[in-house]
Amino acid sequence: MATRIYITNAKGGAGATTFAIGLGDALAREGHRTLIIDGDANCADGLFLCGLQGMNVYTLADAKSGACRVKQAILKHPKSENLYILPTLGCDDGEFVAEAIKDCEGLFDYVLCDAVAANACTEAIVVTEPYPSSFKGADDKLARLADSGMGRKSVAVNKINGGLVFDGEVMTPQEIASLLRCDLIGVIPEDLGLPLGKIKARTRKAYALCAAKVMGKSDKVFAIIRPYTGLKGALLRRMRRAL
């Protein structure tokens, strides 16, 4: 049976979809067959961020109408041996999505549900930015997940700038997780590149560490302030302040 993880955020723009794709890519690189359920029924944002826009033949809307089987709507990423995506474009029926997951989960080791089908998942990751407006929303989301009976719950701090942390302008990821009374599953640095596109090497490393923690192989998270220490770090901090 696949490990089914619900990935969500409480504040728009926190990056739940990019996190799902980055984590999915990292799990696939570890040799695990990984399916990402793109929960954006209106725009298929997951397909866009994966660089697969326009490449799908079917979506779950077609499966629901009987035009295809669920498995026929699954799209294999051409640049990854183990990464797959299932677009829900046009289908906002959460119950049907949950049934679709059960129909195909035997084919995969991990199923990452991007803001959809929480009731089909056994654990959840709440993605937050390192700012009060975002992690206060994450606190509410975690409480709602607990009330719904969700099992393991963890938090991922996304889009975090190590320079801001070093200067004390934002809380550390560990402090945020402690405030939320939740396990810290991942720390993802600020990166304007898209997953599977122009993603930076350090961001890929951060996702790899997150995947290792999801798999239970490690307790480490990305050391966000390390690049800002020492002489090189002092130069980086000065450049950041100048900009």
Side-chain angles (χ1 to χ4, degrees):
M1 180 180 292
T3 299
R4 303 183 304 276
I5 305 175
Y6 177 58
I7 297 176
T8 185
N9 59 277
K11 176 181 175 293
T17 299
T18 54
F19 179 83
I21 293 168
L23 176 59
D25 178 48
L27 289 168
R29 287 175 180 272
E30 288 292 320
H32 296 289
R33 289 173 62 87
T34 304
L35 174 66
I36 299 171
I37 309 295
D38 178 9
D40 189 342
N42 296 317
C43 303
D45 198 36
L47 284 178
F48 173 76
L49 293 173
C50 277
L52 302 178
Q53 65 273 24
M55 294 181 64
N56 60 297
V57 177
Y58 299 113
T59 75
L60 271 185
D62 297 304
K64 185 178 180 181
S65 70
C68 70
R69 292 178 294 129
V70 169
K71 295 173 185 177
Q72 290 178 290
I74 296 173
L75 183 63
K76 183 182 183 301
H77 200 286
K79 295 183 179 180
S80 175
E81 183 64 29
N82 297 302
L83 186 62
Y84 300 78
I85 188 164
L86 176 57
T88 64
L89 185 64
C91 178
D92 57 3
D93 184 343
E95 291 301 321
F96 182 79
V97 178
E99 288 300 317
I101 292 169
K102 293 177 183 178
D103 188 44
C104 64
E105 71 165 348
L107 300 173
F108 302 97
D109 302 308
Y110 288 91
V111 177
L112 307 182
C113 298
D114 174 24
V116 69
N119 60 333
C121 299
T122 55
E123 56 186 275
I125 298 175
V126 176
V127 181
T128 180
E129 292 177 290
Y131 306 108
S133 61
S134 187
F135 58 74
K136 284 182 180 179
D139 188 35
D140 179 70
K141 177 68 74 172
L142 287 163
R144 291 175 183 271
L145 289 170
D147 290 343
S148 70
M150 180 64 72
R152 180 188 180 192
K153 297 174 291 298
S154 53
V155 63
V157 180
N158 195 23
K159 301 181 183 179
I160 187 164
N161 185 297
L164 293 178
V165 177
F166 190 93
D167 290 341
E169 296 180 43
V170 299
M171 297 172 68
T172 68
Q174 289 76 11
E175 288 171 335
I176 293 171
S178 177
L179 186 66
L180 296 174
R181 304 173 302 282
C182 194
D183 179 42
L184 179 63
I185 198 73
V187 176
I188 309 301
E190 187 178 57
D191 186 351
L192 298 180
L194 297 177
L196 307 185
K198 298 179 180 179
I199 186 171
K200 295 178 182 177
R202 63 174 186 156
T203 307
R204 196 177 296 282
K205 179 181 178 181
Y207 280 120
L209 287 170
C210 184
K213 195 161 185 181
V214 167
M215 293 183 291
K217 292 184 176 181
S218 172
D219 286 327
K220 295 180 179 179
V221 294
F222 186 72
I224 194 68
I225 67 171
R226 184 171 296 168
Y228 292 88
T229 60
L231 179 60
K232 183 179 179 181
L235 293 173
L236 282 174
R237 296 198 305 276
R238 180 175 293 181
M239 289 174 60
R240 185 183 65 80
R241 293 190 190 105
L243 294 173

